[in-house]
Amino acid sequence: RSKRAIAALLRIAHSATPPRRNALKPSARRFGPSSVTARVERASIQIAIRLLEGRGWSVRSVEQENRGYDLLCRRPGKQLHVEVKGCSGREPSFGITPNELEVLRNDPDFRLLLVTSALTRPRALLKTAKQVQSEFILEPSAWIAQRRAGPA
């Protein structure tokens, strides 16, 4: 990768401002992400949009619509449903919600765009659902406890 490309990705990553608390995904809000996590998420989305637009896609954020993916990408006769995941380190590791997992398993237009080293030397990997399922172990890592309805 050229030094100019890396410099451009770093400018995007460092200019990313953390989203407002209510702008975060419900799963992220539930666990109260740190400011670094919020910066990684925002930088990763910006990097993904620039990358996809650079490849000729028209990109619209649908992050707030709870579709199970973040970006709706279109070109004549084709569309992609792209879930963006960002990591601060080089090793790809990410959380995935039940809704995102359902879309990954059932939507032929699903793609995962994983941004590693999002705040330092970003590297973007675009994966099909089949690639994600073969390259990653997808298993529950946390449970959420919610109060039952009825008398306490």
Side-chain angles (χ1 to χ4, degrees):
R1 192 184 313 209
S2 75
K3 288 184 180 183
R4 282 178 51 193
I6 291 171
L9 289 173
L10 285 172
R11 281 193 302 279
I12 295 167
H14 289 296
S15 69
T17 56
R20 294 183 322 272
R21 178 172 170 79
N22 291 339
L24 295 175
K25 294 179 184 178
S27 59
R29 278 197 313 268
R30 193 175 293 141
F31 295 106
S34 69
S35 63
V36 171
T37 302
R39 284 184 59 220
V40 167
E41 288 178 1
R42 197 76 245 136
S44 298
I45 288 286
Q46 290 178 356
I47 289 165
I49 290 170
R50 294 248 175 110
L51 176 74
L52 293 162
E53 287 177 341
R55 292 182 178 180
W57 293 95
S58 171
V59 180
R60 181 170 69 94
S61 172
V62 293
E63 295 170 84
Q64 302 305 311
E65 298 176 25
N66 198 30
R67 294 183 180 201
Y69 57 91
D70 297 318
L71 304 174
L72 176 59
C73 305
R74 291 190 168 133
R75 327 180 151 145
K78 187 161 182 157
Q79 70 176 359
L80 295 179
H81 302 146
V82 179
E83 174 60 25
V84 179
K85 296 294 182 183
C87 306
S88 57
R90 288 189 288 177
E91 280 301 310
S93 176
F94 53 91
I96 188 164
T97 68
N99 190 33
E100 293 163 353
L101 190 57
E102 179 74 18
V103 174
L104 178 147
R105 289 179 172 155
N106 297 302
D107 181 352
D109 296 324
F110 178 89
R111 298 294 184 276
L112 177 76
L113 198 149
L114 182 59
V115 179
T116 57
S117 302
L119 299 177
T120 54
R121 289 183 60 115
R123 181 169 179 234
L125 307 166
L126 187 63
K127 304 281 186 182
T128 66
K130 186 175 181 178
Q131 289 171 319
V132 172
Q133 291 175 336
S134 69
E135 295 176 25
F136 293 91
I137 298 168
L138 301 171
E139 62 182 30
S141 63
W143 295 93
I144 300 300
Q146 295 178 332
R147 181 171 234 141
R148 294 179 191 268

